[in-house]
Amino acid sequence: MELFFFRHSEYERLYNCTGLDIDSIPLAKRQYVPESIAISILCAIYYVLYVPCMYSIWKHLRENSCYRLLFFIGITDLSILWILGFLRAWLNLHGYVFCSFPTLIYFVGIATTSLWMAESTADLVLAFNRCLDFFSPHYSRLLFSGDRTLFWNGACAAYALYWAIFLKPGIYSSVYFGSFFNPFMGYRNDEQIEYQPVLHIFHNTTVAVLSPSIYLVFIIKLLYDIQINRRQLSAVVSELSAVQRKTFLQVFLISSINTMTGSICLYMQYNEANQWMITLAEFAWFHVHGFPPVIYLTLNKTVRQDCRKLYMKLFNRNRVSHIGGVTVLRPNRPQTQQQQQRQNHLSTESPGYT
């Protein structure tokens, strides 16, 4: 961002579209219609699922440090999802590239790159938090209890802000249905490697390696405890509460998607990628931010119940009541015979419309 505002001459040197003919690549090769329709529909579905989940997570922020981290991740997901789903679908359908809307696509690239950094970093913190909660509840409380979680969220936000201000963004191109640091991908080669930040390679390497490493350490520790205590795996796992097991599984699944995305992007940095791999990386990135509500609703009973109550408030208000500040859903009651007769009587007396 500082390049655009404070070193604009350098920005013009790097991102100048003079002499570039957009139509040198035919429009048909810059459009991905089925993929665009798919991500736009999925984006709408994920928003419908995610917003109630965020409401539920917000309700339980004080119960567990994990929820504060999940809430921060949810904010980044909701902030980036419309770009990955709706805006990029629009760009794809029209075959737009960087030189079609240079300023817009540049700042959108800043947003998507920095939000990915914030989310993936917070995901690593979340994985560390869950494993530490199993290994040493004392140190988990020491590092994450109360408002201390705000420090971790703030660190992730500061890291993302650093990316937004000082580093070059990934630029989306409809030529390949993907993001690249070279804004002229498909038109001009980055022969002097002026666009690719080294920190991006380091970050994706960290995401691809550190996240599974955290869980590998957890598994090794679990197996070690089993051997020392000479007990079966089922006996050790049964000592963990149901909430702990399900929370750990949720975080593990979210981290797995991040790990897969980081691994694909890391591979693409050093190897020539085919179009199917670029498309896979794009959909993986999209699901990093869109799939969490599916995980929450499937595995988290509290979130599922809160979402159900919220939907009932919105779409079936006559079944919702409040008793002592608690939301209660009244069951559907069949009509009595007297009520049915009264309804039939009113319907026969009411005038018809033609």
Side-chain angles (χ1 to χ4, degrees):
M1 192 182 298
E2 60 88 24
L3 181 67
F4 183 88
F5 288 108
F6 302 108
R7 294 189 292 141
H8 199 74
S9 58
E10 178 67 7
Y11 169 84
E12 287 292 339
R13 185 186 73 82
L14 292 171
Y15 296 92
N16 196 326
C17 293
T18 303
L20 188 144
D21 182 13
I22 296 176
D23 293 327
S24 62
I25 297 178
L27 178 62
K29 293 185 178 181
R30 291 183 276 120
Q31 290 179 310
Y32 293 82
V33 177
E35 294 88 343
S36 302
I37 295 174
I39 61 173
S40 59
I41 293 175
L42 285 172
C43 185
I45 294 173
Y46 286 152
Y47 265 115
V48 172
L49 297 178
Y50 215 142
V51 172
C53 290
M54 285 291 288
Y55 165 75
S56 176
I57 293 172
W58 172 77
K59 283 180 59 179
H60 303 281
L61 282 181
R62 296 187 178 275
E63 296 179 8
N64 195 318
S65 59
C66 173
Y67 279 101
R68 297 191 178 191
L69 293 168
L70 288 174
F71 190 74
F72 176 82
I73 291 174
I75 291 174
T76 62
D77 288 340
L78 292 176
S79 299
I80 195 176
L81 198 57
W82 70 273
I83 300 175
L84 300 180
F86 297 138
L87 182 60
R88 288 190 172 182
W90 174 71
L91 294 174
N92 285 321
L93 290 173
H94 293 84
Y96 293 140
V97 294
F98 173 74
C99 290
S100 302
F101 302 100
T103 303
L104 171 65
I105 294 179
Y106 177 79
F107 279 97
V108 167
I110 290 176
T112 54
T113 305
S114 57
L115 287 170
W116 157 249
M117 298 302 162
E119 192 279 340
S120 53
T121 305
D123 179 75
L124 291 176
V125 175
L126 181 61
F128 174 66
N129 168 266
R130 289 298 84 203
C131 290
L132 188 63
D133 191 52
F134 285 125
F135 290 155
S136 177
H138 170 72
Y139 284 106
S140 178
R141 289 191 297 271
L142 184 65
L143 294 176
F144 291 97
S145 64
D147 293 334
R148 294 170 188 175
T149 311
L150 298 177
F151 166 79
W152 297 95
N153 289 340
C156 296
Y159 175 58
L161 187 62
Y162 172 79
W163 266 91
I165 295 176
F166 296 107
L167 297 179
K168 299 181 182 70
I171 302 296
Y172 186 75
S173 174
S174 293
V175 175
Y176 293 105
F177 189 72
S179 292
F180 306 89
F181 285 95
N182 178 8
F184 310 113
M185 195 69 179
Y187 294 94
R188 301 172 185 169
N189 294 326
D190 182 18
E191 296 178 353
Q192 298 182 3
I193 314 179
E194 294 186 282
Y195 300 98
Q196 175 72 53
V198 177
L199 183 58
H200 181 260
I201 299 175
F202 174 78
H203 178 90
N204 282 347
T205 303
T206 303
V207 171
V209 174
L210 187 57
S211 182
S213 298
I214 292 174
Y215 291 105
L216 180 61
V217 171
F218 169 78
I219 293 173
I220 293 174
K221 176 66 165 60
L222 188 64
L223 295 176
Y224 175 78
D225 290 342
I226 293 172
Q227 184 177 4
I228 291 297
N229 298 317
R230 298 183 181 279
R231 293 182 296 172
Q232 297 294 324
L233 175 63
S234 58
V236 176
V237 173
S238 64
E239 292 182 359
L240 304 175
S241 68
V243 174
Q244 282 183 313
R245 292 197 299 269
K246 288 189 176 182
T247 302
F248 182 86
L249 181 58
Q250 292 169 60
V251 174
F252 174 76
L253 292 175
I254 294 173
S255 299
S256 298
I257 303 175
N258 281 52
T259 300
M260 181 182 70
T261 304
S263 300
I264 296 173
C265 293
L266 184 63
Y267 176 85
M268 290 169 57
Q269 296 295 332
Y270 298 100
N271 300 275
E272 184 177 354
N274 296 321
Q275 182 57 52
W276 69 266
M277 181 168 287
I278 298 174
T279 303
L280 176 62
E282 191 67 20
F283 270 92
W285 185 9
F286 173 73
H287 282 87
V288 162
H289 304 284
F291 200 70
V294 178
I295 297 174
Y296 300 149
L297 292 171
T298 304
L299 299 175
N300 194 313
K301 183 179 179 181
T302 301
V303 172
R304 191 163 57 247
Q305 289 178 339
D306 287 341
C307 291
R308 180 169 175 264
K309 291 176 183 178
L310 181 61
Y311 280 126
M312 295 304 296
K313 281 184 180 181
L314 295 175
F315 302 111
N316 200 355
R317 294 177 179 272
N318 61 333
R319 288 189 58 202
V320 179
S321 61
H322 301 276
I323 302 176
V326 178
T327 302
V328 178
L329 293 179
R330 296 192 299 272
N332 285 322
R333 296 180 179 177
Q335 290 182 324
T336 63
Q337 184 176 3
Q338 183 178 3
Q339 289 174 329
Q340 184 67 37
Q341 291 176 351
R342 177 176 175 80
Q343 183 176 351
N344 293 337
H345 177 70
L346 291 174
S347 62
T348 55
E349 291 184 350
S350 59
Y353 293 91
T354 58

